[in-house]
Amino acid sequence: LERWLDLDLSAKAAAGELSRAHCRDALVDRLSDLLDLKRNLVLTGEAGVGKTALVHELAARAHEGRGPTCFEGKRVLQLSLARGASTLKKPKQVGSAFRQLLKDLVDRDDLVLFLSDFDRVYRHDLESQLQAFCYAFRGRILGEGKPGTVRTILEWFPRLGRKFTTIPVEEPTGERVSSILAAWAEAQ
């Protein structure tokens, strides 16, 4: 697990060290509702639109006792395929190392998993492994990635697509950016 672990979001939330998603309450509430309906989510959008901040907001709210009920008593972990792959000596080892990670996690009902680079599943040809894992894992899985790559993954692996709800995260308008920056400055 340590090879793939980017952040323990629960620990960061407890320490007050997570970035927050300012001025996104309606979207955060929608994500919470979907998670509580037993859906896995993959947030799509270009870099910098706030996908990671939304997941961090969910973890922070869960720590505060006002997040998704499916997060209660769970440890929220941010995993990175890039981080895991970079620790291996040969690129061909990614598949077997990822398979071992999933085997180690499949029975863990105390976890919520966030794949911060879901679209890398495609690069490393891990779609079928993730698909099998999704059908066995009882916890929630969140992911984020580029819209085109995520769409391709979920179209080519329709059983995997049935396990995820795709949520597009749009770039904020100029007015919303001003509101976000004002809320961020106030929180500092």
Side-chain angles (χ1 to χ4, degrees), residues 42 44 118 127 130-131 148-166:
V42 61
T44 62
F118 183 93
E127 297 93 341
L130 182 59
Q131 178 175 279
T149 307
V150 169
R151 185 174 43 255
T152 299
I153 292 167
L154 300 181
E155 285 174 358
W156 285 1
F157 289 82
R159 289 188 65 224
L160 183 58
R162 286 192 288 277
K163 292 303 257 179
F164 282 92
T165 298
T166 304

Side-chain angles (χ1 to χ4, degrees), residues 24-38:
R24 295 309 250 317
D25 289 338
L27 182 53
V28 172
D29 290 343
R30 179 174 173 229
L31 297 175
S32 291
D33 291 344
L34 288 168
L35 287 162
D36 284 338
L37 290 171
K38 298 185 178 186

Side-chain angles (χ1 to χ4, degrees), residues 105-122:
L105 295 176
V106 74
D107 293 323
R108 299 282 307 265
D109 60 0
D110 61 328
L111 300 177
V112 173
L113 304 176
F114 169 44
L115 298 176
S116 62
D117 47 7
F118 183 93
D119 48 356
R120 284 188 176 256
V121 166
Y122 178 75

